[in-house]
Amino acid sequence: MTERLADVSARIDSIRQLGAVVNAMKGIAAARANTARDEIEAVNSYAATIAAAISDALGPARPTPPTETSRGQADGGIGLLVFCAEQGFAGAFSERVLDSVKDDLSTANLFLIGTRGLSIAAARGLHPVWSAPMSSHTPGIPKLADTITKAIYRALGEGHLERIDMIHAVWASGQPQVVRRVLLPVDLSDLPPPGATRPLTQLPTDTLINSLSGDYLHALVCKAALHAFAAENEARMEAMSAAASQITRELGHFEATLRRVRQEAITAEIIELGTGAASATDSR
């Protein structure tokens, strides 16, 4: 009985320690998700400002945006920039993102972000042409976006790609929702209408557009990375909340078992004492 009591007590201590770890992970994920959500607003404003500048520079006579059909008939290949999870304990986050593009993976060039996502892709027999870890903190995301854009430009320069789609998760309605958009060529239909007065510029229009387009691409990648970062940590919060609920249930079960075992031990001791006392009286 004493050994069983010690085993149950040890199990309770172990569960409480696990609960402390789970709560810590949940708190860290919450802080990171909140920070990313705040920074998304700033990146949205930055991207909108650049988009307005590109629209004003192009003026009313902007080129006709390519149709979905012509995009799909590009002579070069299609690249997929996919943002998955960097770390584990986020449920099926990476699996859901990869499942959303599974029909394209056999023919597309995969650019994959996230160490955890890379291991899941390898388990599925997928081999990205390029990969990088997701930044563990939001201050590192602009540098990550620089690395991503350089890899994209390198692939474009080598003539491997004509179009690149960007796939990432956003957190909505309590779960990750996967979104996909054309990253390159720039979708002119996303630009706002030009202003009434065309701005005075000192650079040739092509040079100005190329420069602004590079900044716009960087802003879009930063925005996607922040959404993916926030969604991953929101998913981790949900997973840790579910784990915490399970831990609470198990803890309640083992605490009830501990009370029962203690009561059985007390009862056995009382019976033993009573039997000993009765035997002593009879011997007299």
Side-chain angles (χ1 to χ4, degrees):
M1 186 68 70
T2 302
E3 292 179 357
R4 186 183 176 195
L5 187 62
D7 290 341
V8 175
S9 297
R11 179 61 174 165
I12 289 175
D13 290 341
S14 176
I15 292 174
R16 285 174 175 166
Q17 291 174 10
L18 179 60
V21 172
V22 166
N23 288 332
M25 293 178 64
K26 182 179 177 181
I28 293 171
R32 290 178 175 177
N34 288 333
T35 301
R37 282 194 296 267
D38 292 340
E39 294 183 6
I40 285 172
E41 295 299 323
V43 174
N44 283 343
S45 177
Y46 175 59
T49 300
I50 299 175
I54 294 174
S55 182
D56 289 343
L58 288 172
R62 65 176 66 183
T64 302
T67 63
E68 290 298 325
T69 302
S70 63
R71 282 174 180 159
Q73 294 175 346
D75 293 335
I78 296 177
L80 299 178
L81 174 58
V82 181
F83 290 86
C84 292
E86 172 62 20
Q87 300 171 343
F89 302 105
F93 180 86
S94 295
E95 288 85 346
R96 182 174 298 189
V97 175
L98 290 172
D99 285 343
S100 70
V101 293
K102 62 183 179 181
D103 294 336
D104 302 320
L105 292 174
S106 60
T107 57
N109 295 281
L110 179 61
F111 296 75
L112 195 145
I113 309 300
T115 303
R116 178 63 177 170
L118 181 61
S119 65
I120 294 173
R124 296 185 175 195
L126 302 175
H127 303 287
V129 298
W130 183 86
S131 63
M134 170 65 83
S135 175
S136 58
H137 297 88
T138 55
I141 284 181
K143 184 177 180 180
L144 172 64
D146 284 338
T147 303
I148 293 171
T149 53
K150 288 177 182 177
I152 289 174
Y153 287 141
R154 185 164 53 250
L156 291 172
E158 293 171 353
H160 296 163
L161 302 174
E162 289 288 339
R163 166 186 163 190
I164 296 179
D165 289 1
M166 185 164 58
I167 298 93
H168 63 89
V170 298
W171 193 260
S173 303
Q175 61 181 347
Q177 304 286 343
V178 181
V179 298
R180 177 172 179 168
R181 66 169 297 166
V182 177
L183 182 63
L184 286 175
V186 174
D187 189 351
L188 298 181
S189 63
D190 284 347
L191 300 180
T197 303
R198 190 165 185 177
L200 178 64
T201 62
Q202 296 177 329
L203 294 174
T205 301
D206 289 346
T207 302
L208 179 60
I209 295 299
N210 287 336
S211 177
L212 289 173
S213 296
D215 290 340
Y216 187 54
L217 176 66
H218 185 271
L220 292 179
V221 173
C222 279
K223 180 179 175 180
L226 282 170
H227 273 297
F229 182 89
E232 176 187 344
N233 281 283
E234 292 278 9
R236 187 166 293 111
M237 285 173 57
E238 288 293 314
M240 293 301 100
S241 294
S245 298
Q246 180 62 28
I247 287 171
T248 299
R249 289 191 292 269
E250 286 195 15
L251 189 59
H253 168 73
F254 279 101
E255 285 177 342
T257 301
L258 181 64
R259 288 192 296 269
R260 186 175 66 253
V261 171
R262 281 177 175 170
Q263 185 61 49
E264 290 174 355
I266 292 171
T267 301
E269 186 174 352
I270 292 174
I271 292 173
E272 184 178 348
L273 291 173
T275 302
S279 297
T281 300
D282 292 341
S283 64
R284 291 177 185 174

